[in-house]
Amino acid sequence: TSAAPSSCSPLMSTVRAINLVLPETEVHLAGSSIHGQLVLNLKSTLVDPVVKVELVGRGYLTWLEEDNPELDYDKSTACSNQALYISKEKNFCTEDGWLDSGVHTFDFHFSFPPSIPSTFTSKIGCISYFVQGTCCSRQIVLAKEERCLLLQGTAGDHRRHVKDMAPLVVEARKEVVYFCCFSLGSVILRISLEKRVFYPGETIVFVTDITNRTCMYVRKVVFAVYCIVLYSGFSSRGEQRFLEDRKEVTKLESQTDMAPSEVMRVTSVLVLPKPMPVTSTLMDNKIMAFRYELVATSDLPCTTSTIVGRVPIIIAATPEQSTMTLYEDEG
């Protein structure tokens, strides 16, 4: 959680400071609650004050798309979309319609809906959440502070992934021809996972068997988890457009220095970040859909060839998160 600088209107020096006091929670869960305080420090009496706190979560996306790549000139269309995931407001009543000078503390709490998506940022789109405290008088904003929140979404039912909990093995093979020594060879990557469903913040442990049937060394294998995002937007003419983009989530480079005609087993560990979007559909998140791949890549020496092994994995909400229910009334 990070704080944005406070801003005060130069027209009114009544407000000395405005501060949001929030819990020391690094990542909030969808379906949970947030409790905090708005602290207002006044230099003098404030008449007809409007003091409120808002919780807002929204997503937006935008990209440029070529209308016709065959044209000799550039003509692109802007595609965009947006979604509102949460908008809640708490207005505080003041006695007799005024606030005396000094420090005033206002308690508030909000509940996050259980089906909202995770905080997410890319070059195309963003899903963000923030709490904002505002002090106004006679429709003039005197002071305002905004605090961004990290939120782990739980959209998607983990029970639909139960069938995917079995071990998974994927094999990739690349044939290589070395014209300099008139030889033919191949490299085989065999990636084994105990399961294919993981949770945000969990550690992925997997085994890679590398078979080098070439006359060259295999120096390095790069492992990475990619998030493949499907964006849904609309052009200025109201036509629905889709764009798929890849975002690297976490990465590991493994130095193998594997000699010709050798077989090697490599055990690797990748730690997933938190928060991160769970595997979902456009129906779940309105403007973005998310899926994931574990990818192993190795450039084969003395050639322009690259061997790539792709393992589809699922990022799901934990059973505890997806069954979370709130019975608490909001203040």
Side-chain angles (χ1 to χ4, degrees):
T1 304
S2 58
S6 302
S7 60
C8 293
S9 169
L11 300 176
M12 302 289 271
S13 59
T14 304
V15 180
R16 178 178 283 113
I18 183 171
N19 294 289
L20 284 166
V21 180
L22 300 177
E24 297 294 328
T25 304
E26 184 177 356
V27 178
H28 300 269
L29 294 178
S32 66
S33 292
I34 180 171
H35 297 254
Q37 292 180 327
L38 177 66
V39 181
L40 194 61
N41 190 344
L42 301 180
K43 290 183 180 179
S44 58
T45 301
L46 183 61
V47 181
D48 295 330
V50 176
V51 183
K52 64 180 180 180
V53 176
E54 299 169 90
L55 172 64
V56 179
R58 58 194 177 202
Y60 71 89
L61 55 88
T62 181
W63 77 87
L64 292 177
E65 186 174 279
E66 290 187 41
D67 283 345
N68 189 349
E70 297 180 356
L71 294 176
D72 294 333
Y73 56 91
D74 293 333
K75 186 178 180 182
S76 57
T77 298
C79 301
S80 61
N81 205 349
Q82 59 184 347
L84 182 64
Y85 298 112
I86 181 174
S87 179
K88 296 185 179 183
E89 184 178 293
K90 171 64 178 178
N91 285 278
F92 301 102
C93 298
T94 55
E95 295 182 4
D96 302 322
W98 57 276
L99 287 173
D100 203 355
S101 61
V103 178
H104 302 268
T105 301
F106 304 91
D107 296 321
F108 66 87
H109 79 270
F110 295 109
S111 295
F112 295 103
S115 58
I116 54 178
S118 302
T119 300
F120 175 78
T121 302
S122 74
K123 61 184 180 182
I124 296 173
C126 176
I127 298 174
S128 61
Y129 299 88
F130 63 89
V131 174
Q132 179 176 274
T134 309
C135 177
C136 306
S137 180
R138 298 185 178 92
Q139 298 182 342
I140 299 175
V141 177
L142 306 180
K144 179 171 62 176
E145 185 180 38
E146 182 179 300
R147 298 280 293 274
C148 296
L149 305 175
L150 294 178
L151 188 127
Q152 175 59 57
T154 60
D157 187 354
H158 75 283
R159 290 172 293 184
R160 66 174 141 171
H161 303 308
V162 171
K163 65 179 183 299
D164 298 310
M165 297 299 287
L168 179 67
V169 178
V170 172
E171 185 173 290
R173 181 188 184 100
K174 185 72 174 182
E175 301 293 339
V176 184
V177 178
Y178 292 97
F179 293 103
C180 59
C181 49
F182 303 101
S183 64
L184 175 68
S186 64
V187 176
I188 302 172
L189 294 180
R190 191 171 186 267
I191 307 171
S192 305
L193 288 84
E194 293 185 354
K195 59 179 182 177
R196 63 177 297 191
V197 179
F198 300 92
Y199 306 132
E202 189 177 1
T203 298
I204 303 178
V205 180
F206 56 97
V207 175
T208 306
D209 292 302
I210 309 170
T211 303
N212 181 13
R213 296 175 180 169
T214 70
C215 59
M216 300 293 179
Y217 277 77
V218 176
R219 300 293 186 184
K220 180 175 67 175
V221 181
V222 179
F223 302 99
V225 173
Y226 288 91
C227 177
I228 299 95
V229 190
L230 177 64
Y231 298 96
S232 172
F234 292 90
S235 68
S236 57
R237 295 187 293 271
E239 302 167 333
Q240 188 171 21
R241 302 289 179 88
F242 298 95
L243 175 67
E244 189 169 276
D245 188 52
R246 298 171 66 86
K247 177 181 172 66
E248 186 180 283
V249 175
T250 183
K251 180 180 178 180
L252 170 68
E253 293 188 2
S254 179
Q255 300 294 331
T256 57
D257 290 326
M258 185 179 176
S261 303
E262 275 195 359
V263 177
M264 175 184 289
R265 169 164 287 191
V266 179
T267 300
S268 306
V269 175
L270 286 170
V271 180
L272 297 175
K274 190 175 181 180
M276 63 186 302
V278 300
T279 300
S280 55
T281 64
L282 286 175
M283 184 177 297
D284 294 325
N285 300 327
K286 301 178 183 178
I287 61 175
M288 304 180 196
F290 299 93
R291 60 187 179 88
Y292 292 86
E293 283 182 345
L294 169 62
V295 180
T297 307
S298 181
D299 294 326
L300 305 183
C302 301
T303 73
T304 58
S305 299
T306 300
I307 182 170
V308 180
R310 303 181 186 275
V311 185
I313 62 174
I314 295 168
I315 306 300
T318 65
E320 292 77 11
Q321 292 172 358
S322 56
T323 57
M324 184 183 299
T325 305
L326 291 176
Y327 301 96
E328 180 180 27
D329 292 332
E330 293 185 5

